[in-house]
Amino acid sequence: MIRASVLFVLLFIVPAHAQSVPVPPGFDPHLITQVYSTALAFMAPRTLDPVPVAQLTIWGLHGLTALDPELTTELQGGKVRLSGRNGELAALPPPGEADVSAWAGLATDLAVVAAGVSVPVRRAGTQGVMQNFFDELFNHLDPYSRYVPPVDAVEDRERRVGQAGAGLRLTRRGPFIVVAEAITDGPAALAGLVAGDIIVSVDGQPAQGKDPATVMGWITGPEQTEVSLVWRSRGGRTHSAVLERVVVPPETVFAQRSSEVLVIQVTAFNYSTDAHLSQAIVQGLAAAKPPAGIALDLRGNRGGLLRQAVTAADTLLPAGVVAITAGRDPEATRVWRSTSGQLTDIVPVVVLVDGRTASAAEVLAAAIADRGRGVVVGSSTLGKGLVQTIAPLPDGGELFVTWSRILAPRGWPIQGLGVLPQLCTSLGQDVLNWEFATLAQGRQPMAKTLETHRAARAPLSPTQILAIRNACPAAEGRDADLEAARLLIRDPAAYAAALLPPMRDDAALSTTTR
């Protein structure tokens, strides 16, 4: 229900100097109020730290200043005041601190007054005013909460749903369209297509001489529809099949044998990552000569689905805590556990990380390290450990609000801190040589810093975070990372010294975040 003052503003506003201001053409106060009211009501109980609705609104009103520096808004002398170059434009009594609809109406009232006197605000229009309101509001919260306007929201939703196709990536070789990758478990791979095959035609249309993007456009289409492919294998034999289009997430798991080490690179976490990681491990361990160890390469992995990181942990960890999400909303707080699906508890595991390793990738690395199952090698990771929840808005846009922190099994926050390696490669070869010499003596060279890191509890100041992270500065991955992994796997004593001591499964469950 819209309060009376908002209905009134549809006709005119009475500012402090008592001169009525008409609503500018194309300006929609009713929609602005609806969006603000919905957003504030959604945010109030869910923001990571409690912030009164009044404060959220005052922050948002600074968006008028962002549009026109000659405008200022402030809560002063018991009134919310809007001022311009020539003095005060409006002074409205503040509603009750938690009165969401009233604060939304007040913000709308002041926006209409501002639009009446400011060309930049008027030019920004309804959408621009709302965008700047949320931009300024979220500037005071965290880096990941945001407002997505209607057009971008539609595109985001389409990306989240994905495009249906055959699970192919194509390239061009001379006049021919060639399969660069056939994603495991995709319709094309199941039909027998492999990298190097030449696409002859799609639904009867010749592919030779065409652009790869054009041919991919022919292959993709609505989910559960059919596409007919003709292709030629490397032996020169021609094949054909009618495939059902499905949403096939891109391949994220790539395994190869590097001497005695099974190297498994995971580039992101999507709906198929856990199954493909499990498959890579099973196939690697079943080799005629099993690997001496596994190097799980998460360098450059920006994350993805938290649930997939947890299920991926099943392949390497026994049943127990993988991560904890903790927030003010009861639905935001959850203990994420691995099941008893561990594929091996004997083969050493080394996890490679760098300064670009983030989010879900950090969750998996932290769990393997905290649970004493493997050694993390590389540099400090990015430190993205916040979870967002999404709310649809009346204008068709979306609101992403951070509502929980991710805690590692030992209770420390991933946000800001990131994962601190047990063997640091970012300080140069001389330091790395010293670390190996110390491990050879049965001592963990980073023991004191690791103890401080694992004992940290949210919230942490930037100074505290930097003091810990500087022990192994974030850096891009390097060849020394994989070589260090090989050396650890070859030396059981050094590997054992690098491991964190075992922890109780419930060690982090009594941890509070505030």
Side-chain angles (χ1 to χ4, degrees):
M1 183 175 180
I2 303 173
R3 67 190 183 94
S5 62
V6 178
L7 290 174
F8 182 65
V9 84
L10 291 172
L11 299 176
F12 59 90
I13 290 291
V14 181
H17 51 70
Q19 179 181 351
S20 63
V21 179
V23 176
F27 216 73
D28 191 342
H30 178 69
L31 180 61
I32 294 174
T33 303
Q34 282 188 313
V35 170
Y36 288 174
S37 183
T38 302
L40 293 171
F42 183 78
M43 293 174 64
R46 293 179 176 86
T47 54
L48 201 56
D49 297 302
V51 182
V53 171
Q55 183 62 74
L56 292 171
T57 308
I58 294 298
W59 285 340
L61 283 169
H62 294 160
L64 297 175
T65 305
L67 286 169
D68 186 345
E70 291 188 352
L71 299 174
T72 59
T73 55
E74 59 184 344
L75 178 59
Q76 184 183 62
K79 296 287 181 68
V80 180
R81 303 179 186 277
L82 172 68
S83 301
R85 175 192 292 182
N86 298 321
E88 193 168 271
L89 300 169
L92 304 178
E97 192 171 85
D99 190 339
V100 170
S101 60
W103 276 104
L106 180 145
T108 305
D109 292 352
L110 294 184
V112 175
V113 173
V117 299
S118 168
V119 172
V121 175
R122 205 157 48 243
R123 188 183 298 126
T126 299
Q127 196 59 54
V129 165
M130 292 192 298
Q131 183 71 64
N132 278 270
F133 179 90
F134 289 116
D135 286 349
E136 290 301 311
L137 189 162
F138 287 130
N139 280 343
H140 293 80
L141 293 180
D142 64 89
Y144 308 111
S145 294
R146 63 194 184 279
Y147 163 73
V148 180
V151 173
D152 294 339
V154 170
E155 293 178 359
D156 280 357
R157 284 192 290 270
E158 289 176 351
R159 279 195 294 269
R160 291 199 294 270
V161 171
Q163 257 191 331
L168 287 174
R169 188 165 57 83
L170 304 179
T171 188
R172 186 167 180 168
R173 186 181 301 160
F176 301 111
I177 298 300
V178 178
V179 175
E181 178 188 10
I183 297 172
T184 306
D185 299 334
L190 294 175
L193 278 92
V194 297
D197 287 352
I198 296 172
I199 302 297
V200 176
S201 66
V202 178
D203 285 335
Q205 301 182 84
Q208 184 171 326
K210 298 295 189 296
D211 185 84
T214 299
V215 179
M216 277 301 300
W218 296 344
I219 294 174
T220 57
E223 193 170 6
Q224 295 183 335
T225 58
E226 292 183 340
V227 59
S228 174
L229 291 185
V230 177
W231 71 96
R232 189 164 59 249
S233 59
R234 289 184 177 180
R237 184 179 173 186
T238 300
H239 310 261
S240 65
V242 176
L243 309 178
E244 181 178 324
R245 293 183 176 101
V246 297
V247 176
V248 183
E251 184 59 83
T252 59
V253 179
F254 305 89
Q256 63 176 344
R257 189 70 176 261
S258 178
S259 62
E260 75 275 29
V261 177
L262 175 62
V263 181
I264 304 177
Q265 181 186 25
V266 180
T267 58
F269 289 88
N270 63 28
Y271 292 106
S272 64
T273 300
D274 60 339
H276 291 182
L277 176 60
S278 175
Q279 184 180 41
I281 293 174
V282 169
Q283 291 178 348
L285 295 178
K289 185 179 180 181
I294 296 173
L296 184 63
D297 189 354
L298 301 180
R299 293 174 298 177
N301 186 320
R302 308 296 286 184
L305 303 174
L306 173 60
R307 186 182 297 276
Q308 277 292 309
V310 174
T311 53
D314 287 348
T315 61
L316 295 168
L317 293 172
V321 177
V322 174
I324 301 164
T325 52
R328 292 192 301 127
D329 188 311
E331 292 185 7
T333 300
R334 177 173 177 179
V335 179
W336 299 80
R337 296 179 178 274
S338 56
T339 63
S340 55
Q342 184 180 16
L343 298 175
T344 175
D345 59 357
I346 300 173
V347 175
V349 175
V350 175
V351 183
L352 305 180
V353 300
D354 66 3
R356 301 168 300 159
T357 304
S359 189
E362 292 176 287
V363 168
L364 181 56
I368 290 172
D370 271 17
R371 298 273 296 279
R373 179 60 187 92
V375 177
V376 176
V377 170
S379 75
S380 288
T381 59
L382 182 67
K384 183 185 184 302
L386 299 177
V387 180
Q388 288 74 47
T389 183
I390 306 174
L393 296 175
D395 66 337
E398 290 181 332
L399 204 67
F400 287 70
V401 177
T402 295
W403 72 335
S404 63
R405 288 186 176 93
I406 303 177
L407 308 179
R410 292 177 185 258
W412 52 273
I414 289 176
Q415 178 62 26
L417 272 183
V419 180
L420 186 69
Q422 292 136 282
L423 186 66
C424 180
T425 63
S426 64
L427 293 174
Q429 190 62 46
D430 289 343
V431 173
L432 185 57
N433 292 341
W434 169 77
E435 288 179 294
F436 270 112
T438 305
L439 289 172
Q441 299 170 9
R443 295 183 291 112
Q444 166 55 268
M446 296 186 64
K448 185 173 291 187
T449 304
L450 287 166
E451 183 179 353
T452 301
H453 180 276
R454 265 49 179 189
R457 295 296 180 265
L460 296 168
S461 70
T463 301
Q464 291 173 302
I465 290 171
L466 283 175
I468 295 172
R469 288 176 61 88
N470 282 343
C472 186
E476 193 169 342
R478 56 197 69 192
D479 293 342
D481 302 338
L482 186 54
E483 182 57 31
R486 290 196 188 97
L487 291 174
L488 276 177
I489 289 170
R490 291 174 190 153
D491 188 339
Y495 176 82
L499 287 171
L500 291 176
M503 60 168 284
R504 297 192 326 273
D505 184 48
D506 63 348
L509 300 187
S510 61
T511 300
T512 58
T513 58
R514 307 177 197 290

